[in-house]
Coordinates of all heavy atoms in Angstrom, one line a residue:
M18 N 33.2 30.6 356.8 CA 32.9 30.2 358.2 C 33.9 30.9 359.1 O 35.1 31.1 358.7 CB 32.8 28.7 358.4 CG 31.7 28.0 357.6 SD 31.8 26.2 357.9 CE 31.2 26.2 359.6
A19 N 33.5 31.2 360.3 CA 34.3 31.8 361.3 C 35.2 30.8 362.0 O 34.9 30.4 363.2 CB 33.5 32.6 362.3
L20 N 36.3 30.4 361.4 CA 37.1 29.3 361.9 C 38.5 29.9 362.2 O 39.5 29.7 361.4 CB 37.2 28.2 360.9 CG 35.9 27.4 360.8 CD1 35.9 26.5 359.5 CD2 35.7 26.5 362.0
S21 N 38.6 30.6 363.3 CA 39.9 31.3 363.7 C 40.8 30.3 364.4 O 40.3 29.3 364.9 CB 39.6 32.5 364.6 OG 39.1 32.0 365.8
P22 N 42.1 30.5 364.5 CA 43.0 29.7 365.3 C 42.5 29.5 366.7 O 42.7 28.5 367.3 CB 44.3 30.4 365.2 CG 44.3 31.1 363.9 CD 42.8 31.6 363.8
E23 N 42.0 30.6 367.3 CA 41.5 30.6 368.7 C 40.4 29.6 368.9 O 40.3 28.8 369.8 CB 41.1 31.9 369.2 CG 42.2 33.0 369.3 CD 42.7 33.5 367.9 OE1 41.9 33.4 366.9 OE2 43.8 34.0 367.8
V24 N 39.4 29.6 367.9 CA 38.3 28.7 368.0 C 38.7 27.2 367.8 O 38.3 26.4 368.6 CB 37.2 29.0 366.9 CG1 36.2 27.9 366.8 CG2 36.6 30.4 367.2
I25 N 39.7 27.0 366.9 CA 40.1 25.7 366.7 C 40.9 25.1 367.9 O 40.8 24.0 368.3 CB 41.0 25.6 365.4 CG1 40.2 26.1 364.2 CG2 41.5 24.2 365.2 CD1 38.8 25.4 364.1
H26 N 41.7 26.0 368.5 CA 42.4 25.5 369.7 C 41.5 25.2 370.8 O 41.6 24.2 371.5 CB 43.4 26.6 370.2 CG 44.3 26.2 371.3 ND1 43.9 26.3 372.6 CD2 45.5 25.6 371.3 CE1 44.9 25.8 373.4 NE2 45.9 25.4 372.6
Q27 N 40.4 26.0 371.0 CA 39.5 25.8 372.1 C 38.7 24.5 371.8 O 38.2 23.9 372.8 CB 38.5 26.9 372.2 CG 39.2 28.2 372.7 CD 38.3 29.5 372.5 OE1 37.2 29.4 372.0 NE2 38.8 30.6 372.8
T28 N 38.5 24.1 370.6 CA 37.7 22.9 370.3 C 38.6 21.7 369.9 O 38.1 20.6 369.6 CB 36.8 23.2 369.1 OG1 37.6 23.6 368.0 CG2 35.8 24.3 369.5
F29 N 39.9 21.8 370.1 CA 40.8 20.7 369.8 C 40.4 19.5 370.6 O 40.3 19.5 371.8 CB 42.2 21.1 370.0 CG 43.3 20.3 369.3 CD1 43.2 20.2 367.9 CD2 44.3 19.7 369.9 CE1 44.1 19.5 367.2 CE2 45.3 19.0 369.2 CZ 45.2 18.9 367.8
G30 N 40.3 18.3 369.9 CA 39.9 17.1 370.6 C 38.4 16.8 370.4 O 38.0 15.6 370.6
M31 N 37.6 17.7 370.0 CA 36.2 17.5 369.7 C 36.1 16.9 368.3 O 37.0 17.0 367.4 CB 35.4 18.8 369.8 CG 35.3 19.4 371.2 SD 34.6 21.1 371.2 CE 33.0 20.8 370.5
T32 N 34.9 16.3 368.0 CA 34.7 15.7 366.7 C 34.4 16.9 365.7 O 33.9 17.9 366.1 CB 33.5 14.8 366.7 OG1 32.3 15.5 367.1 CG2 33.7 13.6 367.7
N33 N 34.6 16.6 364.4 CA 34.3 17.6 363.4 C 32.8 18.0 363.5 O 32.5 19.2 363.4 CB 34.6 17.0 362.0 CG 36.1 17.0 361.8 OD1 36.9 17.5 362.6 ND2 36.5 16.5 360.6
P34 N 31.9 17.1 363.6 CA 30.5 17.5 363.7 C 30.2 18.5 364.9 O 29.5 19.4 364.7 CB 29.7 16.2 363.8 CG 30.5 15.2 363.1 CD 31.9 15.6 363.4
S35 N 30.8 18.2 366.0 CA 30.6 19.0 367.2 C 31.2 20.4 366.9 O 30.6 21.4 367.3 CB 31.3 18.4 368.4 OG 30.7 17.2 368.7
I36 N 32.4 20.5 366.3 CA 33.0 21.8 366.0 C 32.1 22.6 365.0 O 31.9 23.8 365.2 CB 34.4 21.6 365.4 CG1 35.3 21.0 366.5 CG2 35.0 22.9 364.9 CD1 36.7 20.5 366.0
L37 N 31.7 21.9 364.0 CA 30.9 22.6 362.9 C 29.6 23.0 363.5 O 29.1 24.1 363.1 CB 30.7 21.6 361.7 CG 32.0 21.4 360.9 CD1 31.8 20.2 360.0 CD2 32.4 22.6 360.1
R38 N 28.9 22.3 364.3 CA 27.7 22.7 364.9 C 27.9 23.9 365.8 O 27.1 24.8 365.9 CB 27.0 21.6 365.7 CG 26.4 20.5 364.8 CD 25.5 19.6 365.6 NE 24.9 18.6 364.8 CZ 25.4 17.3 364.6 NH1 26.5 17.0 365.2 NH2 24.8 16.5 363.8
L39 N 29.0 23.9 366.6 CA 29.3 25.0 367.4 C 29.5 26.3 366.6 O 29.1 27.4 367.0 CB 30.6 24.7 368.2 CG 31.0 25.7 369.3 CD1 30.0 25.8 370.4 CD2 32.4 25.4 369.9
V40 N 30.2 26.2 365.5 CA 30.5 27.4 364.7 C 29.4 27.8 363.8 O 29.1 29.0 363.8 CB 31.8 27.1 363.8 CG1 32.0 28.2 362.8 CG2 33.0 26.9 364.7
A41 N 28.7 26.8 363.2 CA 27.6 27.2 362.3 C 26.2 27.2 362.9 O 25.3 27.8 362.3 CB 27.6 26.2 361.1
G42 N 26.1 26.7 364.1 CA 24.7 26.6 364.7 C 24.0 25.4 364.4 O 24.4 24.6 363.5
E43 N 23.0 25.1 365.1 CA 22.2 23.9 365.0 C 21.4 23.7 363.7 O 20.9 22.7 363.5 CB 21.3 23.7 366.2 CG 22.0 23.5 367.6 CD 22.9 22.2 367.5 OE1 22.4 21.2 366.9 OE2 24.0 22.2 368.1
T44 N 21.4 24.8 363.0 CA 20.6 24.7 361.7 C 21.4 24.0 360.6 O 20.8 23.6 359.6 CB 20.2 26.1 361.2 OG1 21.4 26.9 361.0 CG2 19.3 26.8 362.2
I45 N 22.7 23.8 360.8 CA 23.5 23.1 359.8 C 23.0 21.6 359.7 O 22.6 21.0 360.7 CB 25.0 23.1 360.2 CG1 25.8 22.6 359.0 CG2 25.3 22.3 361.4 CD1 27.3 22.8 359.2
T46 N 22.9 21.1 358.5 CA 22.3 19.8 358.2 C 23.4 18.7 358.3 O 24.6 19.0 358.2 CB 21.7 19.7 356.9 OG1 22.7 19.8 355.8 CG2 20.6 20.8 356.7
D47 N 23.0 17.5 358.5 CA 24.0 16.4 358.6 C 24.7 16.3 357.2 O 25.9 16.0 357.3 CB 23.2 15.1 358.9 CG 22.7 15.0 360.3 OD1 23.1 15.8 361.1 OD2 21.9 14.1 360.6
A48 N 24.0 16.5 356.1 CA 24.7 16.4 354.8 C 25.8 17.5 354.7 O 26.9 17.3 354.2 CB 23.7 16.5 353.7
E49 N 25.4 18.7 355.2 CA 26.4 19.8 355.1 C 27.6 19.5 356.0 O 28.8 19.8 355.6 CB 25.7 21.1 355.5 CG 24.8 21.7 354.5 CD 23.9 22.8 355.1 OE1 23.7 22.9 356.3 OE2 23.6 23.7 354.3
I50 N 27.3 18.9 357.2 CA 28.4 18.6 358.1 C 29.3 17.6 357.5 O 30.6 17.7 357.5 CB 27.9 18.1 359.4 CG1 27.3 19.2 360.3 CG2 28.9 17.3 360.2 CD1 26.6 18.8 361.5
A51 N 28.8 16.5 356.8 CA 29.6 15.5 356.2 C 30.4 16.1 355.1 O 31.6 15.7 355.0 CB 28.7 14.4 355.7
D52 N 29.9 16.9 354.3 CA 30.6 17.5 353.2 C 31.8 18.4 353.7 O 32.9 18.3 353.2 CB 29.7 18.3 352.3 CG 30.4 19.1 351.2 OD1 31.0 18.4 350.3 OD2 30.5 20.3 351.2

């Protein structure tokens, strides 16, 4: 996954699901997000 320091700094304070949806797109499933 494209998880650069810049992306993480920009999303600091957001929830993990919000970060993962932003990076992976809305097609990511809830099960994938949890894992």
Side-chain angles (χ1 to χ4, degrees):
M18 296 180 71
L20 290 163
S21 67
E23 293 75 21
V24 169
I25 301 311
H26 186 273
Q27 291 167 4
T28 57
F29 202 55
M31 293 171 59
T32 64
N33 286 357
S35 296
I36 293 170
L37 290 165
R38 285 194 181 94
L39 183 66
V40 173
E43 291 300 323
T44 58
I45 190 171
T46 67
D47 290 344
E49 289 171 329
I50 286 173
D52 176 65

